[in-house]
Structure formats: structure tokens, C-alpha cells
Amino acid sequence: MGKHVVVDPITRIEGHLRIEAILDDNNTIVDAYSSSTMWRGIEVIMKGRDPRDVPLLAMRICGVCTGTHYYTSTQTVEHALGVVPPKNARLVRNLIQGSLYIHDHVVHFYHLHALDWVDVVSALKADPAKAAEEARKWASMLKDPITGETIRPWKDGVGEFKAVQDRLTKFVKAGRLGPFANAYWGNKSYKLTPEQNLVAVGHYLDALQIQREMAKLMAIFGGKNPHPQSLVVGGVTCVQDIQNPARLGHFGDILGLSREFIYRAYLPDILMAGTVYAEEALAGIGRGLGNYMAYGDFRMDDNPWYQGKTLFPQGLVLNMDLTKVYDVDQSKITEDVTHSWYEYKGTDKPLHPFEGQTNPKYTGFKPDGTLDPKGKYSWIKSPIYDDHRVEVGPLARMIVGYARGDERIKHYVDWLLKSGNLPAKALFSTVGRTAARAIETALMVDVMKEWLTELAKNVAAGDLSTWTEYDFEKLTKGKELKGYGLTEAPRGALGHWIRIKDGKVENYQAVVPSTWNGAPRDYKNRMGAYEASLIGTTLSNPDQPLEILKTIHSFDPCIACAVHVIDTKGKELGVYKVEPVGGACFI
Amino acid sequence: MQFFDREHLRSIFTKPTNYINTNRGKEYYDNLYKKMEKRLNELKAQQPVKEAEIKFQELLETWELSRRDFLKWVSATTAMLMLPPQFEPLVAQAAEVMNRVPIIWINIQDCAGNTEALLRSASPTVDELILEYLSVEYQEVIMAAAGDQAEENLHKAVKDFDGKYLLFVEGSIPVGMPEAFTIGRHPKTGVEHVKHLAEHAAAVIAVGACACFGGVPAAYPNPTGAVGVMDIVKGKPIVNIPACPANPANITGVVIHYILTGELPELDSLLRPKFAFGYRIHDNCERRAHFDAGEFVEEWGDEGAKNNFCLYKMGCKGPFTFNNCSIVRYNEGTNWPIGVGRGCIGCSEPDFWDKYATERPLADSDIQPPGLHGVEATVDEVGLGILTATAIGIGVHAVASAIAGKKDETKEEQ
Ligand code: SF4
Ligand code: SF4
């Protein structure tokens, strides 16, 4: 047996994640374990509260996709109460959620993921003139999917690249790599040329500025970013903002700038990386489970509750077979705790979120300080869909949409694949996961413009309604209600489930994208998506687990939200009194 | 926190504006000026954290940032710190010697919301540049190194800058259940991690509601026994920058203040810098005139909402919340929660999840703040008090302004 590699902390993610990998003598990963090492207990905190107050709390599940949990939770309560928000609210929510997508994806690619592909130090050796040529080359391979015009590069001035390089040189000379210090520079698995690296580093720095602009998109109708505040059960509160032409105009301007950056920098960079790393993609490095699931999201019409058309269709694709798509049915979702630091009372079977239990049972690490994969080893549960382990995320959304023959998605996916001269099968890989996210960003920034126009038109036509009235007392008094919110967070399928009894939250459960992807093994000893994706990857230097980071980052882990809560019954803290509810917090 | 009796409530609702002393007299400022000059000279004489120095000026140039932009930022920051304009040159100098102060930033039971907020902070170029110019030795969300290499960076920073670095903590610390957070190849708990790093720090800065007061994880019933930094770190200067997430302007402000004086800014009893948390939202709210006139939003999206009326009856907790959002706002002033028609939820106050984060005014909210002592009695008291207060607000401007007119000397209690 070769080495046992431990990576803790995995950095450049949100939350706390530990990966352990077992290598064979060729430094190829033959086994891997993914463990979340933090949890907070937000679901149990929901219990007993007024359901109308829950979305603000649920938003704090994550500081990155804040708006997504907010929106999902609001929808969960609305579903339970049977309240359908008006058109303006739907459009505003789409715009807020859409702005989160483009912001999140750009930040993820450049600031969290790019350093796995891009060797910053190598860029010092680049010839700025050649870098400018390089920038032109990749951009020119792309045609605008709407106008058909050839894309102009974000920057292609020799002077501009020279400036980037000068700045880097100064930093390196001063011994101040800052956040770039002690990384894996020079590692063999970096494949871009110095010029290509310089192009990417230039965009990395520009993206720092652009993302701040993008964050304002959320603030315009949401109040602030992160943690917007304008969603309420029944609608949105920003009625002043939607009738203010200056605000709509501001939104449109930033959207335009965002599109420029996405089309002229992000996409050419993806094309460049995808081409240089094409071999890996075609070999399926980082593919993982091969099962993809999407709940579907972004309502395109005002039909109530899961009966309307969505921008991303729902569906399940098994075994990379694009010829078949199954409908997703939320009742087939369960969570298993065989290898998670929890125990179920009265059953060993995986449980549906409505009946979920979360009793902590921490068993710790092995005496040598490593995870115990035979026992329990993570604060994440293992979700199972209809007896399948599945991957969720942008790749799943693009694959499900593609397999469903969705015209818009097919158009964008084919467009990028064709530009890079790659077959669809290249998508089933680490590279593919990263490319799918970029494709989705392009699609999103375009569809957001349509929503903005729709909103402006609707308001101009005199519709100012932003909230649907409902009688909370009447709806909830003496009753037990159930509801769920199924959406697509930037990182994938997100579900919240609520049970309301007599106007109070009886039970709240969230099964989030990083639970699906980052989960440990299940009762059949089947791996979670992160784990499976690492198998077969060879490390060029086991002391520098760069390939592990690359594949794990391609999922855009976001672990704060992936961890479950405790039933205080399960752990005697002594200080608090909680009425035990029917076996556990989560009936 | 104590709840309020009628008189106290009345004073809260009607107090004209900030009670912070922003003019402390020439002598005070002269002394302060000298002190700051001395401190800056000391810093200038020191080596930057890293061997060779990048000049701040050069950095400005490579960022293609004009001197004018920089000066604009300087005057805004000076004003935020409640210093008179003659301090602007000192603030500018402080920015230029920031690379003398190393920073370690750790995340415990967090959601990364504060890191995210900082990355998106206002006045893009200047803050960004400062982020770059500060010697951030360890920051999990942005650093390139991971695993062993990340731990190595941390150990090295602690060793090299023993007693000198500022420790930023984001997220709460689970003391009731230490195993709820571990980190590292040889897993350490959050409690150990924070205590160890705090011991070697010059000062500790708790960023966000969680690190200050426990935040979301500490909301009732606080399943993991989460607490804030000040509950476990003793014998070190600590400053709390609460809110969910903290406003990045306040983070930069504290750092600049530290550089200027070598000390933490003046703090209130909850260890919050007074320059940022000395005002209530209500004091500077753009809807305040409607409050005083008794004009309220009564239902989401109604005529009142369309006219930007006061959100008190929709659950705004601005009168109870100390923070500068109504002045600084968010995302380069793009908007803020009350601007967008949703009340303030009091996120800079301890236990706000159990006390303030409801969609209804305190009186109507069926919230039971169960984590608090003697709850039943106080809830009723609060209910009564607030009803009265609402009546004051609704009792149209005649009443309200009559009271506002009376100079109220009651000291604010927190
Ligand atoms: S206080 Fe809010 S922003 Fe801060 S870490 Fe907690 S949930 Fe995140
Ligand atoms: S909206 Fe809130 S903070 Fe503003 S005046 Fe009304 S009660 Fe005060």
C-alpha cells in the first residue's frame, strides 16, 4: 500500500472539510473519504418558531448562497400555507437568485478554483506580447450565442499584461505572495504555458473588482449582499425599488458589465483550460458517480407549486446515459447515517426528511488521528435518491437539461463544446464540471436580461403588486401543515422541508447540495460524490495534493450548510430544556 | 440586556439623534494627534512584515488608482472614525504603514458570511488594495495553500509574529460540544484553536454576530453550546464587530484605528467600537420622519409601502439596534434593508435571533425568547411597553414631537 494522504483544512471553500485518500504504489488514489468537521444545529433552532420568521434564519445556513436558502425557505413555508406570490415577486426572486448565480460562479472560478489550474509563479516568465496573442486566440474561437459576433478579448493590450506581470514580480520579490504563499507552484500537473497563466492571473485580479459590482445586483432589490432582506412569505418587500427607473437602470448596467466579463474573460479562459486539459476530460478524470439529479428551478410562469415551466428542468440521469431521464419525486429522498456522526432511534433505515432524526453520535477519529471509514466519520448525512447515490450541481443541471432536450440549455452547451471541438462525453469529468458552471453562467446572464425587461414591462403596465395576502391565523390554527421548497442553489439541488403545527414550526429539515455531494458512504458502503470522483486520480506529488483540490473544488464545496443538527435529547448538555417531540426533533 | 420600562422606551423612541460626543475640544484632539503621530513614526521605523517593502504609492499606481480616489476614501474613513478633518493626513499615513501589522483570520462555526462581505466591500479599489497591502498570513477562504501547507503557514505566522498579530475570528465556538468543530491533520477543537491563537495575538477581533455573541448557532436552544470569543478568551484586548454579517467598513475602521493608535477604539459595554455602534438605526433612518408623523406600512406592499412609510409595525427593530447601517449602507451605498422595505432585525445585538428577528413588532410577536432568564414576566412587560411606544408613534406627530422637543438626558443603556 502507498501513502495515506490527509488534507485538512481544504481551503478556498466555504466551511470545513477534510479529505483523506489512500494511494497505491503509483500514487493513484484507490480509496477516499470525505468528512465535514463542523456543525451548528440550525434546524433544531427553527423548531417552535413562527414559520414566517424562519427564512431569515435559514438564510444564515450559509454565508455564500445566502439568498438561495432564504428563497428556498420562503417557498417552503409558502408551499405549506398554499400561498402563491405574485408575478413581480417571482421575477424579483429570479433576479436575486440569478445575480447570486453569476456572482458565485465567477468568484468560484477565479478566486476559489482557478489556482488549481493556473500556476501564478509561472506567469512571471511569460512574454506579455505573446500573452496578448493568447488572449485574442481563445476569445476569437467563440461567437456570441445571441448575436453571432466574434467575441473580443477582455484585455489584449501588451501593456496591460505587462502591468499585471510587474505587479506580480513586485510581490514575489518582496517575498509577499500573500494569499498565494506556500501553494503548489511548479507542480507537474499545472499544464498552462506561462503566457496562458498570465492571461488567467490578469483576469483573476479583474474579477476581484467585477464581483463587487455583481454583488450590487443582489443589493438593488435585496437590500444587501450577502444576506439580502427583501423576501417575505407571500412575496417581496421592495415595491419602491421595482418602480424606480434608476434602480432598474442600474441593474441593467451592471448586468451589461457582467456579461462583458463573463463572455470576454471567463468563457475564453474556460475554453483555454478545457482545451489544455482536454486529455484529462476525455479520460474522465474526476467523473465520480455518473448519476446526476436536478430538482429544476427558476419559475418561468406564474402557475402554482411545481406545475409551471422552469428554466432548469427537473430530472435524474443514471450512469451517464443521456438517452433516458427520470422524473424526480421528492418522496423518494432519504438520508442515511451509517457512516455519519448521528444515530437513528428505533430504525436503521434511511429516513425521508419529513421523518428525519438527527441525534448526534460523535465517535471521533482513530487513535492515529485519521478518519475511521469502517465506522462513522463525518457530520454530513448520506442522502439517497430511490436507492441511488447521485451528484447534483451545475453539471447535473446541464446534463439533465441536455438529456431532456431543453432548447436553451442545448444551445448553450453545444455552443461551448463546438467551440472547443469537444464531444459531450468530456462533460463527465472534473474539467466538465467546471465548464458546465461557466456555460450556465453565460446562460444565466442572458436570461436575467429577459426577466428584467419582463419586470419593467409589468410594472409599467401598472401592476405593482408584490405580496399575496393570506390569513396566517386562519390557515394554521389547530392544523398540521406540510410543505417543501425544491430549488437549485448555485451548487445544486436544494430542498427544505417543513411541518407546521398550530402556527409553529414542528420540524424543519434541509438537504443541501453539499450534503448530496460531500456525503460519506452509505449503508451499502457506496461512496458519496466527492469520494467517488477522486478514485483513479494520480497525484504527481503526494505531498502536494493539488489534484485532490482540483477535483474537490470543481464541486464548489460549501460545507457550512451541509451539516446537520442535533436533537438535544441525543446529547446531554444539561443547560437546556427541550421538549422531546415524538421520538426526535424531526418526526 | 434589560428590557425597558415606559419612560425608558419613550426616551429610546424619541431621542433626537446620536448621543456620541463628536466634539471633545481642542485639547483632546491635539493630544490625540500627537499620540497618533508618535505611533505612526514608530511604525514607519519598523520593518514591514515581509523583508522587502512594496511602497504603498507603487501599489496605488499598479492598481491604476488616482491619488484623488485614495483621498476620497481617506476622508470618508476619517469621518467614520469620528475624527475631525485635520486627522486626514494621519489616516492616509496609517494606510501606508499597514504592512507592519500581520493578520491571522480563522473561521470556526461560521458560514463565511463575513469573509464574503469583506470581499465585496465598498470603495472597491481602496479596500481591495488594503486587503492586499495588509499582511494577511492565514485566511482559509482565500489562501492558495491547503492541508499541511496551510497549517505550516499558520504555525510560521504565530512563531514569527508572536504577540504582534491581530487575530480575527469569524464564527462561534462550541464549548458545550467541542467536537462540533475540529481542524487539522491532528484534529484540534475550536476551543483549543481559538485559545491558542489568542494567547499569542496582540489583540483579538471578533467579526460577525457569531464570533461576538454566538450568533445563529447560539440561538435557542443553542444545541452546541456556542459562545462568542469574549466568553472564552481572557486577558487579551478584544473588540466585537457584530452584525450578520459585519459591515466591512467597520472592519477596515477598526484596523485603521489600531494602526493609528496602537490601541483598540473606544468600546461600549459590549466591546463594540462606539464609532460604529454608538448610534441606533432609528436615529438616522431615512423613514424616521414618517415614524414621527405616525405614518406606517400596515401590510407588505400596501400604499404605505409604496410611499416608503415607517416599517415599525412590520417588525422593524431599528429603535433597539445600535449600528451604522443607516449611514454607511451596503455594497457601496447601493441599498440597505430598510431601504428595500424590510425592517431591521437587530443583527448587531446579542441574542437578536431570540429577541428581534421577527416579522412583527415586539408587542405582537409571539416570540418567546426562551434562552433569556425570567422570560414570561419580561415578555409581558415588553409587550406593554411597546404597545405604549407604538401608540406614541401612531399618536401622530403632535405627541411625538412634543416629547422629542424635550431634551432627554437619559443615558443610553445597553
Ligand atoms: S453572524 Fe451571520 S454572517 Fe456571521 S458567521 Fe454567523 S450566520 Fe454568518
Ligand atoms: S423604519 Fe425602523 S428605524 Fe426607520 S424610523 Fe421606522 S422604526 Fe425607526
Side-chain angles (χ1 to χ4, degrees), chain B residues 233-249:
Chain B
V233 171
K234 303 288 166 204
K236 279 286 161 184
I238 297 177
V239 45
N240 282 331
I241 312 179
C244 190
N247 197 325

Side-chain angles (χ1 to χ4, degrees), chain A residues 4-16 18 37-42 44-45 49-50 52-53 56-57 60-64 70 103 107 111-112 115 163 167 170-171 173-176 178-185 204-205 208-209 211-213 215-216 219-227 229-233 236-241 243 247 250 360 362 365 368-369 379 464 466-467 469-470 503-504 543-545 549 560 566 568 571 573 576-578, chain B residues 50-54 58-59 62-64 99 107-113 116-125 127-128 131-136 138-153 172 174 176-177 179-187 216-226 244-245 287 299-302 305-308 330-332 334-337 339-345 347 352-354 357-360 366-368:
Chain A
H4 186 136
V5 174
V6 179
V7 196
D8 183 355
I10 295 270
T11 50
R12 280 181 282 130
I13 64 167
E14 189 271 313
H16 302 273
R18 177 185 182 102
T37 53
M38 183 274 276
W39 74 215
R40 296 172 296 173
I42 292 186
V44 82
I45 289 167
R49 291 180 193 256
D50 188 305
R52 290 167 294 182
D53 300 332
L56 282 172
L57 242 160
R60 268 70 183 187
I61 286 175
C62 176
V64 179
Y70 190 27
H103 178 272
V107 169
H111 307 121
L112 306 180
L115 304 183
R167 206 162 126 208
K170 259 182 219 151
F171 265 70
K173 269 208 196 123
R176 278 202 82 244
F180 301 143
N182 205 14
Y184 310 133
W185 314 130
Y204 172 103
L205 295 170
L208 260 175
Q209 310 223 30
Q211 60 96 18
R212 282 165 216 252
E213 289 300 312
K216 289 182 197 164
I220 288 173
F221 298 122
K224 62 187 168 81
N225 173 315
H227 301 88
Q229 207 151 309
S230 62
L231 269 55
V232 286
V233 173
V236 294
T237 64
C238 52
V239 54
Q240 257 294 319
D241 305 280
Q243 52 176 329
R247 287 234 183 273
H250 193 189
Y362 186 72
F365 292 80
D368 67 353
W379 283 119
L464 273 181
T466 47
W467 186 69
E469 203 181 329
Y470 60 93
K504 292 278 187 315
D543 294 326
Q544 297 189 339
L549 288 183
I566 70 170
T568 28
K571 167 94 184 170
L573 297 175
Y576 315 101
K577 231 178 71 210
V578 179
Chain B
K50 294 289 157 61
E51 307 85 67
E53 180 173 13
I54 313 175
E58 283 177 16
L59 212 62
T62 45
W63 275 106
E64 290 169 13
N99 58 349
N107 300 65
I108 313 291
Q109 278 182 304
D110 73 309
C111 66
E116 290 285 322
L118 193 64
L119 288 176
R120 289 159 213 189
S121 65
S123 348
T125 22
D127 281 359
E128 187 176 334
L131 196 68
E132 190 171 306
Y133 197 55
L134 274 171
S135 282
V136 182
Y138 184 90
Q139 213 301 350
E140 283 159 38
V141 187
I142 52 173
M143 68 195 293
D148 293 351
Q149 285 81 3
E151 292 205 285
E152 218 174 278
N153 285 1
S172 54
M177 206 172 184
E179 66 270 30
F181 177 90
T182 62
I183 190 169
R185 173 182 285 271
H186 305 289
V216 147
Y220 180 81
N222 193 347
T224 60
C244 190
R287 300 187 185 218
E299 206 166 63
W300 300 123
D302 67 3
K306 286 176 194 144
N307 289 298
N308 277 348
Y330 290 91
N331 307 90
E332 257 183 284
T334 303
N335 216 338
W336 69 302
V340 91
R342 178 73 178 265
C344 162
I345 60 171
C347 76
F352 77 99
W353 288 114
D354 296 331
T358 68
E359 207 180 85
R360 295 154 297 288
D366 48 359
I367 201 161
Q368 316 158 10

Side-chain angles (χ1 to χ4, degrees), chain A residues 443-457:
Chain A
L443 181 156
M444 185 58 73
V445 79
D446 287 340
V447 73
M448 281 172 74
K449 191 155 176 243
E450 296 172 22
W451 292 327
L452 185 67
T453 313
E454 205 181 335
L455 179 68
K457 272 198 189 143

Side-chain angles (χ1 to χ4, degrees), chain B residues 81-97:
Chain B
L81 291 172
M82 295 180 173
L83 295 169
Q86 68 262 32
F87 280 72
E88 283 176 15
L90 294 187
V91 171
Q93 285 175 44
E96 289 166 24
V97 293

Side-chain angles (χ1 to χ4, degrees), chain A residues 270-431:
Chain A
I270 285 289
L271 198 57
M272 173 172 88
T275 310
V276 174
Y277 290 92
E279 225 174 277
E280 280 181 28
L282 292 169
I285 300 292
R287 169 189 304 151
L289 297 168
N291 298 335
Y292 304 93
M293 184 181 75
Y295 293 159
D297 196 13
F298 287 99
R299 311 203 181 296
M300 303 300 277
D301 58 41
D302 294 294
N303 293 344
W305 305 119
Y306 309 116
Q307 291 157 30
K309 185 173 161 34
T310 52
L311 174 67
F312 300 128
Q314 57 85 12
L316 172 75
V317 168
L318 293 174
N319 234 337
M320 300 177 286
D321 179 2
L322 293 173
T323 62
K324 272 196 218 96
V325 193
Y326 305 89
D327 281 344
V328 171
D329 169 2
Q330 65 84 29
S331 71
K332 293 183 180 163
I333 295 164
T334 56
E335 289 192 291
D336 171 64
V337 295
T338 309
H339 292 285
S340 314
W341 282 316
Y342 306 98
E343 64 180 338
Y344 284 164
K345 304 253 159 84
T347 178
D348 319 321
K349 298 233 166 56
L351 295 172
H352 183 269
F354 277 140
E355 281 100 44
Q357 301 180 16
T358 317
N359 319 307
K361 187 175 168 54
Y362 186 72
T363 51
F365 292 80
K366 290 199 293 195
D368 67 353
T370 60
L371 297 170
D372 176 12
K374 291 215 175 66
K376 295 176 179 292
Y377 65 93
S378 178
W379 283 119
I380 303 183
K381 289 181 179 179
S382 300
I384 299 169
Y385 180 81
D386 196 19
D387 207 34
H388 302 290
R389 303 300 311 261
V390 301
E391 172 179 336
V392 300
L395 178 58
R397 284 192 285 266
M398 292 303 105
I399 283 176
V400 167
Y402 199 85
R404 286 243 187 242
D406 180 278
E407 266 173 43
R408 200 191 293 251
I409 291 177
K410 252 181 123 334
H411 176 69
Y412 279 81
V413 171
D414 285 338
W415 161 71
L416 194 76
L417 287 174
K418 236 181 256 148
S419 309
N421 208 7
L422 288 165
K425 91 173 228 233
L427 287 171
F428 304 118
S429 63
T430 292
V431 176

Side-chain angles (χ1 to χ4, degrees), chain A residues 67 110 132 167 195 241 268 272 368 441-442 462 473 480 559 567 583:
Chain A
Y110 284 104
R167 206 162 126 208
E195 284 74 23
D241 305 280
M272 173 172 88
D368 67 353
T441 313
E473 302 301 323
E480 218 183 315
I559 301 299
D567 168 1

Side-chain angles (χ1 to χ4, degrees), chain B residues 180-199:
Chain B
F181 177 90
T182 62
I183 190 169
R185 173 182 285 271
H186 305 289
K188 282 183 296 299
T189 65
V191 184
E192 293 162 354
H193 198 47
V194 173
K195 280 194 171 159
H196 167 73
L197 294 171
E199 201 182 305

